[in-house]
Amino acid sequence: MRKGTSLAAICLILAISTASQTSRQHFNLGMSIDEFATKFDLARANTREAPFVDAAARSAMRGKRSIIQTNRAGTKMAFLFDKYTLREVEITAGNTFDHELQALTEPLGEPSVSKINLAVWDRSDGTRFTLTSRQGTGVLLVAPTPLRGK
């Protein structure tokens, strides 16, 4: 069964911000924990995971390496902060790897690396999208493109 929401839709809505999206919940790698907490309205979160989100956010606000995990409408997201800054995001929407590969290839083009259960896209803005399979489910990691040694 395919879910209606794919990682492609999520990553395009969340990772690619425009001026018109400032009021929406979106993230940008490199954003501060304070900006993230404001955009995602962490102070007003009223869910079962709220105490854990609050503890992780407080830790990130002290500059510690922290992961803020959310689960909204079946989409699981893990935001990794280090030294007050969003470093990477892992997104799982519950769809198969093949479904996510097809959905991501449309907006991002052909992956620069494509193997069984692994696809990588490096964007010119320095963002790397890595799609892997975890027990048949597509998992997308959004992180900076690693620097290449000379």
Side-chain angles (χ1 to χ4, degrees), residues 76 78 90-92 94-97 117 130-141:
K76 296 177 184 177
E90 183 179 279
I91 306 166
T92 307
N95 297 311
T96 66
F97 174 85
N117 296 330
T130 304
L131 180 65
T132 59
S133 179
R134 194 173 292 154
Q135 297 175 339
T137 301
V139 177
L140 181 67
L141 179 68

Side-chain angles (χ1 to χ4, degrees), residues 13-122:
I13 291 169
L14 297 175
I16 304 169
S17 69
T18 64
S20 65
Q21 291 178 320
T22 55
S23 64
R24 287 185 175 164
Q25 289 183 340
H26 67 277
F27 65 84
N28 293 304
L29 296 179
M31 73 189 309
S32 72
I33 180 60
D34 294 328
E35 182 182 4
F36 178 86
T38 300
K39 286 186 186 271
F40 280 76
D41 203 10
L42 295 183
R44 302 185 95 191
N46 191 16
T47 63
R48 291 181 305 165
E49 63 207 16
F52 304 106
V53 169
D54 183 59
R58 288 181 186 278
S59 178
M61 287 176 181
R62 290 189 301 273
K64 295 182 179 179
R65 187 176 180 91
S66 304
I67 298 174
I68 298 174
Q69 297 180 356
T70 64
N71 186 346
R72 294 194 176 136
T75 299
K76 296 177 184 177
M77 300 178 76
F79 300 89
L80 171 66
F81 286 86
D82 192 21
K83 298 179 183 167
Y84 309 99
T85 305
L86 180 59
R87 302 294 181 187
E88 61 185 46
V89 180
E90 183 179 279
I91 306 166
T92 307
N95 297 311
T96 66
F97 174 85
D98 291 333
H99 172 77
E100 296 300 352
L101 177 61
Q102 182 179 359
L104 286 165
T105 299
E106 215 172 290
L108 297 174
E110 290 297 318
S112 55
V113 174
S114 183
K115 298 178 182 179
I116 295 175
N117 296 330
L118 172 70
V120 178
W121 294 265
D122 287 323

